[in-house]
Amino acid sequence: MVTYIFGHKSPDTDTITSSIVMANLERELGNEDAKAYRLGNINKETEYILNYLDIEAPELIESVEDDAEVILVDHNSPSESAENIENAKITKVVDHHKIAFNTAHPLFARLEPVGSTQTILYKLYKENDVEITKEIASLMLSAIISDTLLLKSPTTTEDDKKALKELAEIAELDYETYGLDMLKAGTDLSDFSIEEILALDAKQIDFKDVKSIVNQVNTASIEDVLEMKDELEKGIEEIIEREGLDLFMLLITDIVNSNSQVLVLGNAADLVEKAYGVKLEDNTALLEGVVSRKKQVVPIMTENA
Amino acid sequence: MVTYIFGHKSPDTDTITSSIVMANLERELGNEDAKAYRLGNINKETEYILNYLDIEAPELIESVEDDAEVILVDHNSPSESAENIENAKITKVVDHHKIAFNTAHPLFARLEPVGSTQTILYKLYKENDVEITKEIASLMLSAIISDTLLLKSPTTTEDDKKALKELAEIAELDYETYGLDMLKAGTDLSDFSIEEILALDAKQIDFKDVKSIVNQVNTASIEDVLEMKDELEKGIEEIIEREGLDLFMLLITDIVNSNSQVLVLGNAADLVEKAYGVKLEDNTALLEGVVSRKKQVVPIMTENA
């Protein structure tokens, strides 16, 4: 019976590469039926990485069957997981997010508050004496660069830095040059419709009882993205109506200068003003130094809700 | 600021020794303010161990203050934890139970489906190159023996066996002789009132919407315990009334022959008959081969509820 390994919906680089790297680890440790899957489309950044390394994307699935054996990477919340996950058997979790699920059985769970899931997988390879090949090292370091914005995000830990440096040697890559190219590839929005941009990295996160979606797009130029402001607002209003949301936050994150412009709509928009001490003008404000949804949005918004 | 480290209420050997061993690990890794606590009285088995090793019991607490820094061992469910745990900051969890809590922040969580929390701590010591002294080894092996009933419980894994054997060498202990003495010390109920016996290792576990308490006492002679049957039933009825329970199961576990006699009261008593295919006579039945609440009670009862 196959062991399904996948990350979250609206997959990013950490989710996609972690599913591949975890599947490899499982197979190396004797679970021959371990296979990586994905729950959504590959983004531009991940596409750049997979092309660069000449690796195929994992197979797309939407749901899992009853009693399917599942390993979750880079997420644990059922709302970000496959359809029917409630009826699957989760045997392992490797993740760096807060705990947002319960289980009926004891399981193997390895969660650490580090920048990237791959930093944990890097440790698991070492602990289990499994070889980190050049290809695996490249996948691991790509995700660390992606999640920490080249070690600049406040989510970055000493463990991430140490892992990235060791992995760069194995991968024989100048990680700063490669990393900036990779991140820039991820900011290319030209192929996407407004609807697609608003779904690219959208996470449903309820701040207490404020039903919200927080989406994040990286860019090398906030101005370029704000040229689409009217269309983005129209699209967001449709999502708020359709999903019955109180709040939609679009974080437009400047990966070069490490700030985010936030575009906010919904009845609870003033929660953003309260949480960050800013005044929204035309639904938008600059959040200085904010680049991490997990570390600089979720706790602060939850606290103020 | 102190880091509180504790296991579950109604503490058993794994909970008490894990809090001591985890506190030592934290201090060895530089967290000088790490301190072990306990949430209830030391049982006879643990008393035997602490006396044997000449180690003091951790300090008793009932609740934690707001924003207290907390490390949970051997449990994660708020219902089994300190009062006010909802308002504490849980930074780490080391446990071998199912996941029954959520967090607002990412944290370090190390859960594995092994027999004893100490088997995980044993790995953490090795991974972090922290010395396992003779005393630490003795504490670790005591908990593995306790939770696996000398490797006979179905919760026993290869990891537990490997750890126990290596620890016995470090501790310079004949673990089989020591283990049987230790387990037998734990079956001594002579000092306890009926009320105390019924609270010794009681866990509130809801099987779907069947509100239940499952208590377990180990014994070398089921008959001896059943001599108190009338008083036990009276005590259980009072608890059912006071707590508004649907079900109370008292597992009287024969540690020599690896069976449990179950004493069952409450409106949902027939759930036990259905789950195990037994007929209760005078509220009791023999559950052959059942010794593990976690592995042989919780999943089966939940499935049939």
Side-chain angles (χ1 to χ4, degrees):
Chain A
M1 198 174 84
V2 68
T3 302
Y4 294 85
I5 302 178
F6 48 79
H8 53 77
K9 287 182 197 165
S10 305
D12 58 10
T13 294
D14 196 23
T15 261
I16 295 294
T17 60
S18 291
S19 63
I20 299 170
V21 167
M22 183 70 189
N24 183 66
L25 177 63
E26 282 289 303
R27 287 192 302 266
E28 288 286 331
L29 293 175
N31 180 359
E32 285 170 22
D33 301 321
K35 195 178 161 198
Y37 291 86
R38 65 185 161 94
L39 303 182
N41 293 331
I42 298 290
N43 70 25
K44 288 274 179 185
E45 183 190 276
T46 312
E47 190 179 299
Y48 176 92
I49 296 157
L50 297 179
N51 280 342
Y52 186 94
L53 300 171
D54 196 20
I55 295 174
E56 271 193 38
E59 193 181 310
L60 179 71
I61 53 167
E62 286 187 349
S63 63
V64 287
E65 67 263 31
D66 287 357
D67 302 315
E69 199 166 292
V70 168
I71 295 176
L72 303 181
V73 292
D74 194 31
H75 78 299
N76 66 74
S77 166
S79 69
E80 294 177 26
S81 199
E83 302 295 319
N84 200 39
I85 191 72
E86 317 76 59
N87 297 314
K89 188 173 181 216
I90 301 170
T91 58
K92 299 188 185 181
V93 176
V94 180
D95 189 18
H96 63 136
H97 296 89
K98 64 181 184 156
I99 295 182
F101 77 130
N102 282 184
T103 64
H105 300 269
L107 77 168
F108 179 98
R110 179 71 173 257
L111 292 97
E112 298 191 25
V114 291
S116 160
T117 304
Q118 291 283 16
T119 300
I120 309 168
L121 285 166
Y122 164 79
K123 293 184 192 185
L124 287 174
Y125 270 68
K126 291 193 130 188
E127 286 164 21
N128 288 287
D129 283 324
V130 170
E131 190 199 356
I132 299 175
T133 62
K134 196 170 163 179
E135 183 175 282
I136 293 292
S138 304
L139 288 167
M140 286 178 169
L141 74 80
S142 298
I144 297 174
I145 291 167
S146 170
D147 269 13
T148 66
L149 296 176
L150 262 168
L151 306 181
K152 280 193 221 142
S153 162
T155 57
T156 311
T157 67
E158 287 306 312
D159 289 358
D160 299 304
K161 290 179 193 169
K162 184 167 167 279
L164 178 55
K165 266 142 212 182
E166 288 190 32
L167 290 166
E169 281 184 25
I170 301 171
E172 295 173 39
L173 266 175
D174 170 358
Y175 75 84
E176 291 190 320
T177 309
Y178 169 77
L180 206 58
D181 287 347
M182 192 198 101
L183 290 173
K184 278 192 181 152
T187 67
D188 174 14
L189 298 172
S190 57
D191 275 6
F192 296 106
S193 67
I194 291 291
E195 200 173 85
E196 284 167 336
I197 291 171
L198 290 172
L200 270 180
D201 186 17
K203 295 208 180 186
Q204 200 186 306
I205 307 167
D206 295 344
F207 306 117
K208 290 177 188 151
D209 58 355
V210 179
K211 198 180 168 196
S212 309
I213 285 180
V214 182
N215 188 13
Q216 186 168 27
V217 293
N218 289 341
T219 183
S221 160
I222 287 172
E223 288 68 33
D224 284 2
V225 180
L226 284 182
E227 278 177 18
M228 300 181 281
K229 183 162 175 285
D230 290 349
E231 298 99 299
L232 288 168
E233 288 180 343
K234 194 157 160 275
I236 291 171
E237 273 163 9
E238 282 170 17
I239 294 169
I240 288 174
E241 171 109 14
R242 189 173 66 228
E243 306 285 336
L245 300 179
D246 302 307
L247 186 66
F248 190 109
M249 292 173 75
L250 174 64
L251 290 171
I252 305 161
T253 299
D254 180 338
I255 56 164
V256 182
N257 300 303
S258 301
N259 292 315
S260 289
Q261 188 78 25
V262 67
L263 184 60
V264 189
L265 278 91
N267 292 330
D270 56 347
L271 179 56
V272 174
E273 297 190 325
K274 184 180 158 209
Y276 293 95
V278 294
K279 184 93 198 110
L280 292 172
E281 284 180 33
D282 293 334
N283 303 323
T284 184
L286 182 70
L287 305 182
E288 278 188 34
V290 172
V291 295
S292 165
R293 174 167 49 191
K294 187 163 64 178
K295 205 120 181 170
Q296 297 171 299
V297 177
V298 177
I300 291 134
M301 291 290 289
T302 304
E303 207 169 282
N304 284 280
Chain B
M1 198 175 83
V2 66
T3 302
Y4 294 85
I5 303 179
F6 47 79
H8 53 77
K9 284 182 199 165
S10 305
D12 58 10
T13 294
D14 195 23
T15 260
I16 295 293
T17 60
S18 291
S19 63
I20 298 170
V21 167
M22 184 69 189
N24 183 65
L25 177 63
E26 282 290 303
R27 287 193 301 269
E28 288 285 332
L29 294 175
N31 180 0
E32 285 169 22
D33 301 320
K35 195 177 162 201
Y37 292 86
R38 64 184 162 95
L39 303 181
N41 293 332
I42 299 289
N43 69 26
K44 289 275 179 184
E45 183 191 277
T46 311
E47 190 179 299
Y48 177 91
I49 296 158
L50 297 179
N51 280 342
Y52 187 94
L53 300 171
D54 195 21
I55 295 174
E56 272 193 37
E59 193 180 311
L60 179 70
I61 53 168
E62 287 188 347
S63 63
V64 288
E65 66 263 32
D66 288 358
D67 302 318
E69 201 166 290
V70 169
I71 295 175
L72 304 180
V73 292
D74 195 32
H75 79 298
N76 67 73
S77 165
S79 70
E80 294 177 28
S81 199
E83 302 295 318
N84 200 39
I85 190 72
E86 317 74 60
N87 297 314
K89 191 177 179 213
I90 301 170
T91 58
K92 299 188 185 182
V93 177
V94 180
D95 188 18
H96 63 135
H97 296 89
K98 64 181 186 157
I99 295 182
F101 76 130
N102 282 184
T103 65
H105 301 269
L107 77 168
F108 179 99
R110 179 72 173 256
L111 293 97
E112 298 191 24
V114 291
S116 161
T117 304
Q118 292 283 16
T119 300
I120 309 169
L121 285 167
Y122 165 78
K123 293 185 191 184
L124 287 174
Y125 269 68
K126 292 194 127 186
E127 286 164 20
N128 289 286
D129 283 324
V130 171
E131 191 199 355
I132 299 174
T133 62
K134 198 171 161 179
E135 182 175 284
I136 293 291
S138 303
L139 288 166
M140 286 178 169
L141 75 78
S142 298
I144 297 173
I145 290 166
S146 171
D147 269 14
T148 67
L149 296 176
L150 263 169
L151 306 181
K152 279 193 219 138
S153 162
T155 57
T156 311
T157 66
E158 287 306 312
D159 289 358
D160 300 303
K161 291 180 194 170
K162 184 169 168 281
L164 178 54
K165 267 143 211 182
E166 288 189 32
L167 290 166
E169 283 185 24
I170 300 171
E172 295 174 38
L173 266 174
D174 171 357
Y175 76 82
E176 291 190 322
T177 308
Y178 168 77
L180 207 58
D181 287 347
M182 189 198 103
L183 290 172
K184 278 191 183 153
T187 67
D188 174 13
L189 299 173
S190 57
D191 275 5
F192 297 107
S193 68
I194 291 290
E195 201 172 84
E196 286 167 336
I197 291 171
L198 290 172
L200 271 179
D201 186 19
K203 295 209 180 185
Q204 198 186 306
I205 306 168
D206 295 345
F207 306 118
K208 291 179 189 148
D209 56 356
V210 179
K211 198 179 168 196
S212 310
I213 286 181
V214 182
N215 189 13
Q216 186 167 26
V217 292
N218 289 340
T219 184
S221 159
I222 288 172
E223 287 68 32
D224 283 1
V225 180
L226 284 182
E227 278 177 16
M228 301 181 281
K229 184 162 174 282
D230 291 349
E231 299 99 298
L232 288 169
E233 287 179 345
K234 194 159 160 274
I236 291 172
E237 273 163 10
E238 282 169 20
I239 295 170
I240 288 174
E241 171 108 15
R242 189 172 68 230
E243 307 284 336
L245 299 179
D246 303 307
L247 186 65
F248 191 110
M249 291 173 75
L250 174 64
L251 290 170
I252 304 161
T253 299
D254 180 337
I255 57 164
V256 183
N257 299 303
S258 302
N259 291 316
S260 290
Q261 188 78 24
V262 68
L263 183 60
V264 190
L265 278 90
N267 292 329
D270 57 344
L271 179 56
V272 173
E273 297 191 323
K274 184 179 159 208
Y276 294 94
V278 294
K279 184 93 196 110
L280 292 171
E281 284 180 32
D282 294 333
N283 304 322
T284 185
L286 182 71
L287 306 182
E288 278 187 35
V290 172
V291 295
S292 165
R293 174 167 49 192
K294 188 162 66 179
K295 206 121 179 170
Q296 297 171 297
V297 177
V298 177
I300 290 131
M301 290 291 290
T302 304
E303 206 169 282
N304 283 281

